[in-house]
Amino acid sequence: MQQAGQQKNKYLYLLSDISDVVSSALADKDILDSVLWEMGNAIDLDACWIQKFNASTNSLVLVVQHGLPESLIKELESVQVGMDAIGRVALDRKTIYCNDVSNDPNYNWDAAAKAGFFSLIASPVISSGKLVGLIGGLSTKSNFFTLNENKLMSAVGSCVSDVCGRACLDHGEAEVAKQQDEITHTHLFLSALSHELKTPLTAIIASTGLLIEELEKKQESTLLRIAQNISRSATSLQNRLSELINLSKNKDETFGINKKEFDFSRLAAEVADQVLSLVKQKKQTLNLDVTPYIKIHADDQRIEQVLLNLLSNAIKFTPEGGQIFLKAYKDEKRLVVNVQDTGPGIPNEEKKKLFVPYYHPSTDRSGIPGLGLGLAISKQIVELHGGAIWVQSDVGNGSTFSFSLPLSEK
């Protein structure tokens, strides 16, 4: 029962992530590639692909794929509707799953079986009653797919229907349609997100406030600090949620910042305390080297957001037993912050792409969830403060993410 609930939550998160990707400003092919990456990780697919429908040739044309062997790439490059297993799915216009592609009477696929696959799941992509594409996945395990994955695949197909459908429009029409879809998808998703999260967040904040009062009376210092971390994080999440809703109403807006003078070294200690439980779970060591009392004039909640993102990434990509270093110091009229990890490192060709929205580095192909927005948001926050953010990394030698901010004028 608990496992079924966890799977349901996982699939709901997947659809939320896909909604974000579909409503992004990425090119259509990049959107479909990101959707495929998210879906493949969530369902644990060994291979997956998306095809667009070409009405003039009545065929499905391969657009993006992950994990397909060369033999199947060639086969899926162009599939006539009604022919073979995949063409039959397009013709029948219904989502199917088949757990033995070598023996299924309706969706037999010898080429996939020869390539070592047993289970197939595929869904036609329909927009305004018309076939616009197909999305499919393969597993090397037998009896792998169930009705749950069948329903999920159908939902994913609906999410990408507008993107696939734009292939049938000319360039000008496609651009207008995409902009309209972005606005609609973003507004609907954020409205739903607000409704779903507002009530539980309010309850968490209220309950934590009562817990803090009781712990203060009993002078339970350790538990009090944990409760204060929960309260601070929940309040921060509530603020971010309200901001996202406001941003959805005006896509030209950017993040607002409210500057005040505060001690960065104290903030760094509080953020380190917030992530300490995650560090302990992975048997890692978090080392702090922060110059005491560094006075800066900035938005403390925004800088906390940047620090949390960088430390969370360091924890995520550092293996068990590894080390993470948080260093902060004054450099003339700047505060310089370094977050160093002992993770796998980043190839040179990927470094420039790290701060681009929705980008996933090759080291992020291990099933670790995330949309690839954290670094892009961190870059925007730092630059709004007149600072800079950068990365130094070598494959096999970990990474150091750094940012600088102006110090307060004396």
Side-chain angles (χ1 to χ4, degrees), residues 105-124:
N106 296 315
Y107 301 100
N108 179 269
W109 194 0
D110 289 336
K114 288 178 182 177
F117 297 105
F118 284 92
S119 300
L120 161 71
I121 189 166
S123 176

Side-chain angles (χ1 to χ4, degrees), residues 295-338:
K295 191 168 60 172
I296 64 172
H297 190 70
D299 187 323
D300 57 341
Q301 292 188 20
R302 292 300 183 191
I303 303 307
E304 178 183 14
Q305 190 177 352
V306 174
L307 267 181
L308 275 173
N309 178 65
L310 296 183
L311 282 172
S312 297
N313 282 347
I315 294 166
K316 195 161 57 171
F317 290 107
T318 298
E320 284 197 5
Q323 296 197 72
I324 296 155
F325 302 86
L326 171 58
K327 182 177 181 180
Y329 58 94
K330 297 178 182 179
D331 179 19
E332 296 182 349
K333 293 184 178 182
R334 298 187 309 159
L335 159 70
V336 179
V337 182
N338 299 324

